[in-house]
Amino acid sequence: MLSINRPSHRRVHGRAKYCQHRRRYIPNGFKRHVGLASQQISMYKLFLLRHGEGAWNRENRFCSWVDQKLSQDGVQEARDCGRLLKDGGYQLDVVFTSILSRSIQTAWLVLEALGQEWVPVVKSWRLNERHYGALIGLNRAEMAALHGEEKVRLWRRSYDVTPPAIDESHPYFGEIYADRRYDACDVDKEELPRAESLKEVMARLLPYWESAVAPEIRRGRTVLVAAHGNSCRALLKHLEGISDDDIAKVTLPTGVPVLLELDERLKPVKARQLLGDQLKIQAAIKKVEEQGKAKGST
């Protein structure tokens, strides 16, 4: 199987120079999370990717477990991500996604742009987006105007605040829980969440990380996790040791690959790198952060 885990010295040097000087965003304050790990040797590469823009992302609605396809812009974001990875000389060995279409569609488009369509894609509900409960389908800006921006910020960004649970009266309850994709989960439907904090996302995600994803990385495989904003943030919190307070400040825009270089303990040896045009990435981050503000606020 093709792999980049033992490339030539020349190839590694060229790729590092390319990424360092043209295509990498290194977040401020990272070293306080990784400590001495930054002195270790990079052994593995892991890519995290929030799916491309979906229709409800564009409409600024809580999408969560409602199954949405990518918008046209989201399709382009996924293709651009694949081309970026191809230009960097990266080769994937396995891709993990949620069981939501926007995650799977993103993975397919990335692999197509890479010319690596044969790479296995493994799906699990444990990589699904955070379950926003009764907030599903609601407009974030309208909710901010009704309940206040701070309340919406807590619902969206905090670590341990759970939004109101969904119940059978909710217009999307049947669409979610009658969907047969959830018949194949490793838990009964009755045990699936009705609302989640980020802490609860981590609780259902980390067993899958340890049993399915981490073993592939330890085998020397280059892994892409093409999932969602909150499932990727949960993994970052776990891997980087981000505090409960600081995780609220971590924002991942759609369609931007995040490169993590890991040591033998699967701990980052350097700051996460957001790959791509840095001005566009900063604009995209700002756009995501402003989604929970009432219209007209500054």
Side-chain angles (χ1 to χ4, degrees):
M1 176 176 292
L2 293 175
S3 174
I4 64 166
N5 292 293
R6 296 183 182 272
S8 68
H9 174 77
R10 180 179 178 183
R11 189 176 181 188
V12 171
H13 175 76
R15 186 166 63 241
K17 182 178 179 181
Y18 173 85
C19 295
Q20 285 177 359
H21 297 292
R22 295 178 58 192
R23 293 285 188 173
R24 289 186 174 180
Y25 167 70
I26 299 176
N28 293 329
F30 175 81
K31 286 187 178 180
R32 71 174 180 267
H33 299 311
V34 299
L36 294 177
S38 61
Q39 301 176 13
Q40 304 302 309
I41 298 174
S42 174
M43 294 185 63
Y44 308 115
K45 286 182 173 62
L46 167 67
F47 291 94
L48 303 181
L49 176 63
R50 182 185 177 192
H51 62 78
E53 180 194 70
W56 280 16
N57 294 127
R58 177 177 289 276
E59 297 173 12
N60 200 17
R61 298 167 70 185
F62 287 100
C63 189
S64 188
W65 282 30
V66 172
D67 197 43
Q68 292 277 315
K69 298 292 181 66
L70 298 181
S71 67
Q72 285 302 308
D73 285 347
V75 168
Q76 190 61 50
E77 286 175 347
R79 287 174 173 157
D80 288 345
C81 174
R83 294 187 187 106
L84 180 68
L85 296 180
K86 184 176 183 178
D87 289 345
Y90 296 108
Q91 295 176 344
L92 302 177
D93 295 310
V94 62
V95 180
F96 292 90
T97 75
S98 75
I99 57 173
L100 294 166
S101 295
R102 58 193 186 273
S103 167
I104 300 166
Q105 188 181 8
T106 296
W108 287 346
L109 290 167
V110 168
L111 290 174
E112 180 182 38
L114 274 166
Q116 298 173 29
E117 294 96 329
W118 55 269
V119 169
V121 177
V122 184
K123 310 174 187 71
S124 173
W125 76 274
R126 292 184 180 274
L127 289 172
N128 272 20
E129 177 59 293
R130 175 182 172 187
H131 198 308
Y132 275 108
L135 303 181
I136 290 175
L138 300 178
N139 180 279
R140 297 182 184 93
E142 292 174 359
M143 293 297 289
L146 183 63
H147 296 284
E149 292 180 6
E150 179 60 19
K151 187 68 174 179
V152 173
R153 187 191 71 82
L154 288 173
W155 282 333
R156 294 182 65 216
R157 313 295 296 174
S158 66
Y159 176 60
D160 56 4
V161 175
T162 304
I166 195 171
D167 62 28
E168 293 183 3
S169 67
H170 192 281
Y172 291 99
F173 183 91
E175 181 175 329
I176 295 170
Y177 293 100
D179 194 318
R180 73 186 186 94
R181 77 187 70 196
Y182 294 108
D183 294 336
C185 292
D186 57 358
V187 298
D188 293 335
K189 272 190 177 181
E190 292 72 21
E191 297 179 38
L192 293 172
R194 298 295 190 264
E196 291 177 305
S197 64
L198 187 63
K199 181 178 181 180
E200 291 164 319
V201 172
M202 288 188 68
R204 50 102 159 158
L205 186 155
L206 290 184
Y208 185 71
W209 163 263
E210 294 293 346
S211 65
V213 184
E216 292 294 329
I217 298 173
R218 291 192 176 100
R219 290 177 61 190
R221 292 187 161 190
T222 300
V223 170
L224 167 65
V225 176
H228 304 266
N230 282 293
S231 45
C232 288
R233 288 174 69 234
L235 280 176
L236 282 175
K237 187 181 192 308
H238 171 68
L239 293 170
E240 295 182 355
I242 302 173
S243 71
D244 295 355
D245 290 333
D246 285 346
I247 191 60
K249 305 170 189 174
V250 176
T251 301
L252 298 178
T254 57
V256 175
V258 181
L259 171 59
L260 295 174
E261 296 191 39
L262 308 176
D263 64 16
E264 72 280 359
R265 300 171 301 147
L266 301 191
K267 297 298 182 183
V269 300
K270 60 177 69 175
R272 79 185 87 103
Q273 301 158 62
L274 277 67
L275 307 183
D277 184 295
Q278 299 309 303
L279 292 178
K280 290 182 179 179
I281 289 173
Q282 291 305 305
I285 288 173
K286 183 178 180 181
K287 181 179 178 181
V288 173
E289 290 175 344
E290 291 181 346
Q291 287 176 339
K293 296 182 177 180
K295 291 182 179 179
S297 66
T298 57

